Amino acid sequence: MDKITNLTNITNIKLTSARKSILELLINSNKPLSYEDMKDNISMDKATFYRNITIFEEENLISSFESNDKKRYFEIKKTQHSHFICSSCSKIECIHEKVDFHLPNYKIENIIIKGICKDCLLTEKND
Amino acid sequence: MDKITNLTNITNIKLTSARKSILELLINSNKPLSYEDMKDNISMDKATFYRNITIFEEENLISSFESNDKKRYFEIKKTQHSHFICSSCSKIECIHEKVDFHLPNYKIENIIIKGICKDCLLTEKND
DNA sequence: CTCTATGCAAAAACTTTGCAGGGAT
DNA sequence: ATCCCTGCAAAGTTTTTGCATAGAG
């Protein structure tokens, strides 16, 4: 039984080939992906894509967040980590350092850190 | 000399009445505001609004982030704090608790925490 | 046969751009 | 007179919806 079947057989969704191709891409990616990132590798209409994304989120298979570039980025729910979005180049990086933070009575799902990445900081200095 | 003059006279932007009205709203708000939040209280076209917002960001007077609801939220740069966005009700809250977190070589500007707020958690339990 | 999934086209929502007119100095 | 600011309208971008067809069980 492969990873994707594992993921979906605990839910009540049908594993169509469209859905499989989205999940495959997300599982094999080491960073969040937008529709634009994925569209050349999944052969389906954007309507189908977004409808399936909605279902995946309802089933808690994936999480998403909005970035600087106005796009939504999607990611398989796996070991929890944070994301860094560079205000300058819009690059997104996964941050695995532990963030020490507690908010009683809230459920924390995702931490997004905005700022300037080290590459852009270096470039600024060289200007 | 008022707050707004203080804010802007260190920059090289002209303080028009349009700009003043945006800054006034942001200064007096205790939470980030979107264009929609502000539009009834500022009498200017949305083009003017967004053009001025761009200038304010370039001048480092304000910061912004994208929320669940596809809107950008703007805030005067003041004492640093984080924001909590509820995935369920999309409410935004300012979080003044310290987030203990270090990323060497990166400049951190803004921390956004996504999750379920305490009100929505309660509602879920009561279903 | 029935129920869900999909594609296509159009709509929706927010933001940006082009262009011409207005205001300030 | 010049330069920047503004309003209006149109365009741009991402995501969503309606509807009819296709496909699975």
Side-chain angles (χ1 to χ4, degrees):
Chain A
M1 186 144 58
D2 61 69
K3 265 182 181 171
I4 293 175
T5 314
N6 253 331
L7 263 180
T8 52
N9 70 0
I10 53 165
T11 70
N12 41 24
I13 67 172
K14 224 179 287 182
L15 188 53
T16 65
S17 66
R19 288 173 187 168
K20 203 166 175 176
S21 66
I22 299 175
L23 290 173
E24 247 160 14
L25 277 184
L26 291 177
I27 283 179
N28 295 323
S29 171
N30 59 349
K31 61 174 201 295
L33 301 174
S34 67
Y35 168 68
E36 208 193 359
D37 293 333
M38 307 174 78
K39 67 162 189 267
D40 293 338
N41 298 303
I42 52 176
S43 51
M44 79 192 69
D45 190 75
K46 54 181 179 290
T48 303
F49 175 85
Y50 283 111
R51 277 191 279 237
N52 282 328
I53 282 292
T54 304
I55 291 171
F56 294 157
E57 286 206 290
E58 283 166 2
E59 295 293 337
N60 255 283
L61 292 177
I62 66 171
S63 59
S64 74
F65 59 88
E66 292 72 28
S67 183
N68 281 348
D69 57 10
K70 306 267 145 40
K71 297 185 189 120
R72 266 174 85 203
Y73 283 79
F74 309 101
E75 194 176 48
I76 285 285
K77 282 204 180 172
K78 43 192 172 189
T79 50
Q80 199 175 339
H81 59 269
S82 312
H83 295 109
F84 184 90
I85 303 178
C86 179
S87 311
S88 179
C89 69
S90 292
K91 183 174 54 190
I92 295 172
E93 295 180 47
C94 295
I95 304 292
H96 293 278
E97 303 210 5
K98 189 161 166 42
V99 180
D100 192 12
F101 180 65
H102 262 282
L103 208 41
N105 302 321
Y106 286 67
K107 184 178 170 196
I108 296 177
E109 295 178 331
N110 215 334
I111 297 181
I112 298 138
I113 300 140
K114 292 183 60 175
I116 314 285
C117 74
K118 59 171 187 282
D119 298 341
C120 287
L121 278 179
L122 275 174
T123 311
E124 272 179 25
K125 276 179 194 156
N126 297 336
D127 281 347
Chain B
M1 187 145 58
D2 60 69
K3 265 183 181 171
I4 292 176
T5 314
N6 253 331
L7 262 180
T8 53
N9 69 0
I10 53 166
T11 71
N12 41 24
I13 67 172
K14 223 178 285 182
L15 189 54
T16 64
S17 66
R19 289 173 185 166
K20 204 167 175 175
S21 66
I22 299 174
L23 290 173
E24 247 160 14
L25 277 186
L26 290 177
I27 284 179
N28 294 323
S29 171
N30 58 349
K31 61 175 201 292
L33 301 175
S34 66
Y35 168 67
E36 208 194 358
D37 293 333
M38 307 174 77
K39 69 162 188 266
D40 293 338
N41 299 305
I42 53 175
S43 51
M44 77 192 69
D45 190 76
K46 54 181 180 291
T48 303
F49 175 85
Y50 284 112
R51 277 191 281 239
N52 283 328
I53 283 291
T54 304
I55 292 170
F56 294 157
E57 286 205 291
E58 283 165 3
E59 296 293 336
N60 256 283
L61 292 177
I62 66 171
S63 59
S64 73
F65 60 88
E66 291 72 27
S67 185
N68 282 347
D69 57 10
K70 306 268 143 41
K71 295 186 191 123
R72 268 173 85 202
Y73 283 79
F74 309 101
E75 194 176 47
I76 285 286
K77 283 203 181 173
K78 43 191 171 187
T79 51
Q80 198 172 342
H81 58 270
S82 314
H83 295 108
F84 184 91
I85 303 178
C86 180
S87 310
S88 177
C89 68
S90 293
K91 183 175 53 191
I92 296 172
E93 295 180 46
C94 295
I95 303 292
H96 293 278
E97 303 209 5
K98 188 163 165 43
V99 179
D100 194 12
F101 179 66
H102 258 284
L103 252 199
N105 302 321
Y106 286 68
K107 184 179 171 198
I108 296 177
E109 295 179 330
N110 216 334
I111 297 179
I112 298 140
I113 299 140
K114 291 185 60 176
I116 313 285
C117 74
K118 60 171 185 284
D119 296 341
C120 287
L121 278 179
L122 276 174
T123 310
E124 273 179 25
K125 277 179 194 155
N126 298 337
D127 282 348

